[in-house]
């Protein structure tokens, strides 16, 4: 029912001869399915996750090594302090056992230095110097102090040297421990920065991919939504396969399915329109038969008079009778022509300029005998100049005939039907007003629903199809009714300029 524009002639298409842009110039242009792009993006995210996991695992492994270094230096530092404690006790109490205990801890310090060197990857020279020289000198001086034949002067000199070497050992261990801690803290900070960088990279790339996917998915959906809006407005009858939709396999499948559905709906709607039209033809059959019967009777009577009195009639009388036969034949031909025009099935929905005044006059001619049989008085008010709209005459005439037949059925004899066509600014209006029984308020909101009817007979599709036809023409229907006083239907259409 909608006016058609072939999909290939979409007004939004580029002018002929213009270079067509690549429809899929975004990420992964070779992949046009949502499933494929999702798999690629999931693979990228999974790859980032694997890299982040590997980096974190490596960082944890390295941090474990650094922790072992700190623990080894801590143990080494504690043993050196034990050496200094026994050394201090020796100086205070002059007990040789304290000096022997200090020598035992020297051996333990050497073992700890070997353990530290096993986990320390760099700066081993300071440990080797401490192991070979400082501890060796400290052990030598300690053993010299254990001799009995030392003079007080030599003993004092050796004690001063022992104290000095002990201080040097403590200072060296403390400096190496400090350097190791600073190095570990620096490396841990580096691992943290790397983790943050990878996390930021994953979040940034994930956000870009999400935004891209949203845009890539929404572009064909937006194109379909805009095309659907234009179909609703009657500008086209199918969704064009533009470049945005061609970027997505799912978009192409969806558009093909929707277009097939639209074709099926249009076919069903045309069938409903034709069935309702046939029902309307059935309603006017009695009036049409009466309208045709009158001229046929006149033709028959005139022919009988000619047959009986032909020799006695003057030439002028015979000519008048023949002219009367021709006039009555034209009258019958006109009635049949209106009926054929109304009943003819037109598959073309192309919009053409339509004069509402002329269309209303031809519609009245089609149902005027219904007025006569029902005892209805009708009045038609219209301007002298044409009132043009863009539409399909056959469909619009079906709306007018349906409204007039409904009005006739709603009125008693001596009822009045007021018809009017007018132009108001950019709008063209058609008014069908009767003095019938009116419509109850609770039914007024449902009169355009399919299969809803207040009559004992009828399909309930007449007003529903009339509403759909008016909407397809970019128009609207207003209805006012008061029970017991009548109903007024007003059709409003966009008006065309007379110059078109």
């Amino acid at each position: 029912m909608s006016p058609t524009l072939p999909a290939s002639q979409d007004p939004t298409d580029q002018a002929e001869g213009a270079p067509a842009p690549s429809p899929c110039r975004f990420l992964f242009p070779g992949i046009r399915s949502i499933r494929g792009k999702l798999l690629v993006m999931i693979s990228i995210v999974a790859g980032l996750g694997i890299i982040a996991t590997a980096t974190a695992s490596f960082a944890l492994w390295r941090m474990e090594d650094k922790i072992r270094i700190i623990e080894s230096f801590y143990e080494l530092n504690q043993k050196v302090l034990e050496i200094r404690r026994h050394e201090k006790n020796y100086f205070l109490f002059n007990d040789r056992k304290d000096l022997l205990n200090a020598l035992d801890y020297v051996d333990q310090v050497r073992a700890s230095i070997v353990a530290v060197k096993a986990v320390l990857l760099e700066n081993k020279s300071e440990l080797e110097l401490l192991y070979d020289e400082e501890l060796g000198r400290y052990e030598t001086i300690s053993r010299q102090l254990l001799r009995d034949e030392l003079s007080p002067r030599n003993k004092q000199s050796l004690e001063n040297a022992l104290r000095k070497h002990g201080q040097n050992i403590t200072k060296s261990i403390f400096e190496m421990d400090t350097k190791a801690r600073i190095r570990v803290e620096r490396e841990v900070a580096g691992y943290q920065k790397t983790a943050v960088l990878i996390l930021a990279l994953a979040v940034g790339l994930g956000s870009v991919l999400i935004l891209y996917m949203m845009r890539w998915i929404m572009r064909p959906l937006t194109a379909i939504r805009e095309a659907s809006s234009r179909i609703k407005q009657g500008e086209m009858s199918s969704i064009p396969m533009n470049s945005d939709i061609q970027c997505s396999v799912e978009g192409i499948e969806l558009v093909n399915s929707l277009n097939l559905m639209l074709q099926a709906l249009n076919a069903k709607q045309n069938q409903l329109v034709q069935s309702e039209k046939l029902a309307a033809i059935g309603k006017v059959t009695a009036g049409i038969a009466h309208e045709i019967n009158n001229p046929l009777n006149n033709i028959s009577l005139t022919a009988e008079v000619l047959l009986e009195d032909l020799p006695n009639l003057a030439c002028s009388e015979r000519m008048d009778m023949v002219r009367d036969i021709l006039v009555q034949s034209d009258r019958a031909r006109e009635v049949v022509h209106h009926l054929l025009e109304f009943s003819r099935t037109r598959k073309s929905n192309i919009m053409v300029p339509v004069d509402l005044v002329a269309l209303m006059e031809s519609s009245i001619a089609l149902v005027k005998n219904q007025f006569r049989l029902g005892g209805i008085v009708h009045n038609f008010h219209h301007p002298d100049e044409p009132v043009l709209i863009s539409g399909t005459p056959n469909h619009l005439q079906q709306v007018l005939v349906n409204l007039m037949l409904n009005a006739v059925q709603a009125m008693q004899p001596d009822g009045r039907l007021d018809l009017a066509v007018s132009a108001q600014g950019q709008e063209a209006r058609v008014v069908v007003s009767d003095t019938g029984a009116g419509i109850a308020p609770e039914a007024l909101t449902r009169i355009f629903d399919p299969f809803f009817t207040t009559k004992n007979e009828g399909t309930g599709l007449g007003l529903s199809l009339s509403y759909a036809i008016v909407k397809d023409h970019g128009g609207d229907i207003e209805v006012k009714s008061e029970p017991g006083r009548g109903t007024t239907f007003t059709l409003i259409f966009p008006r065309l300029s007379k110059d078109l």
Side-chain angles (χ1 to χ4, degrees), residues 75-91:
E75 293 177 1
L76 180 60
N77 196 20
Q78 292 299 314
K79 291 176 180 179
V80 169
L81 291 178
E82 286 294 323
I83 293 175
R84 297 305 308 281
R85 183 175 69 83
H86 288 291
E87 174 191 323
K88 183 177 180 180
N89 289 337
Y90 169 76
F91 289 141

Side-chain angles (χ1 to χ4, degrees), residues 133-146:
E133 296 186 9
E134 296 294 338
L135 289 178
R137 294 289 300 276
Y138 189 89
E139 184 178 11
T140 301
I141 294 172
S142 297
R143 295 191 182 282
Q144 290 177 355
L145 286 173
L146 291 175

Side-chain angles (χ1 to χ4, degrees), residues 31-44:
I31 304 175
R32 296 193 177 186
S33 68
I34 295 178
R35 180 189 304 174
K37 289 184 181 288
L38 283 176
L39 287 176
V40 171
M41 292 182 181
I42 290 173
S43 300
I44 293 175

Side-chain angles (χ1 to χ4, degrees), residues 150-440:
L150 289 176
S151 63
R153 183 177 178 181
N154 288 338
K155 184 177 180 182
Q156 183 66 36
S157 175
L158 289 173
E159 288 178 350
N160 291 334
L162 182 66
R163 185 179 290 109
K164 180 180 180 181
H165 282 290
Q167 293 174 350
N168 290 337
I169 291 172
T170 304
K171 181 179 178 181
S172 297
I173 293 298
F174 179 78
E175 289 178 351
M176 285 187 287
D177 184 23
T178 302
K179 290 179 180 179
R181 289 179 182 273
I182 293 174
R183 188 181 304 112
V184 169
E185 291 175 357
R186 187 183 300 115
E187 292 184 6
V188 169
Y191 296 144
Q192 291 177 341
K193 291 180 180 178
T194 302
V196 171
L197 180 62
I198 293 177
L199 178 61
L201 179 62
V203 171
L205 184 57
S207 300
V208 170
L209 293 177
I210 290 173
L211 291 175
Y212 162 72
M213 277 299 295
M214 289 177 60
R215 182 181 179 187
W216 186 78
I217 293 174
M218 289 304 298
R219 286 181 68 199
L221 295 180
T222 301
I224 293 172
R225 182 185 62 191
E226 292 174 353
S228 300
S229 177
R230 296 179 63 185
I231 291 174
K232 180 180 178 182
Q233 295 173 2
E235 298 179 9
M236 59 175 62
S237 62
S238 63
I239 301 174
M241 195 71 68
N242 60 23
S243 59
D244 290 336
I245 297 174
Q246 290 175 352
C247 286
S248 169
V249 173
E250 291 79 4
I252 295 174
E253 294 175 350
L254 177 60
V255 168
N256 289 334
S257 300
L258 290 175
N259 283 337
L260 289 175
M261 181 187 68
L262 288 172
Q263 292 175 7
L265 288 175
N266 284 334
K268 293 296 182 182
Q269 189 176 12
N270 288 331
Q271 292 177 6
L272 289 175
V273 170
Q274 187 62 18
S275 64
E276 187 64 21
K277 183 183 294 184
L278 293 175
I281 292 173
K283 295 175 184 178
V284 302
T285 299
I288 294 295
H290 180 75
E291 183 70 12
I292 295 177
N293 190 51
N294 287 338
L296 288 179
N297 285 334
N298 293 335
I299 292 172
S300 178
L301 291 173
T302 304
E304 288 178 0
V305 171
L306 281 173
L307 182 62
E308 293 175 357
D309 299 334
L310 182 62
N312 302 322
L313 293 176
C315 182
S316 59
E317 290 177 333
R318 291 196 296 267
M319 291 298 294
D320 289 338
M321 289 183 179
V322 171
R323 290 191 186 96
D324 186 54
I325 291 175
L326 292 175
V327 169
Q328 297 302 322
S329 298
D330 289 338
R331 179 181 170 188
R333 186 184 301 111
E334 183 181 0
V335 173
V336 174
H337 172 75
H338 284 303
L339 181 61
L340 289 176
E341 281 294 314
F342 178 69
S343 61
R344 184 175 295 130
T345 300
R346 300 178 187 269
K347 295 185 178 180
S348 175
N349 293 322
I350 298 176
M351 296 286 193
V352 296
V354 178
D355 180 11
L356 289 179
V357 176
L359 188 66
M360 179 63 84
E361 289 175 342
S362 64
S363 301
I364 293 173
L366 191 62
V367 298
K368 64 182 179 180
N369 284 289
Q370 294 298 115
F371 299 158
R372 186 181 303 113
L373 293 174
I376 306 301
V377 177
H378 74 281
N379 299 304
F380 180 33
H381 306 281
H382 60 87
D384 295 333
E385 65 275 3
V387 178
L388 298 177
I389 68 169
S390 178
T392 52
N394 195 252
H395 293 155
L396 291 172
Q397 187 176 51
Q398 181 174 349
V399 174
L400 299 179
V401 169
N402 184 63
L403 291 178
M404 287 188 284
L405 289 177
N406 286 347
V408 170
Q409 294 175 356
M411 290 187 288
Q412 299 296 325
D414 297 330
R416 188 180 75 253
L417 180 62
D418 292 321
L419 307 171
V421 172
S422 63
Q424 300 180 13
Q426 299 299 318
E427 294 179 347
R429 290 176 176 256
V430 177
V431 178
V432 179
S433 180
D434 64 61
T435 57
I439 303 173

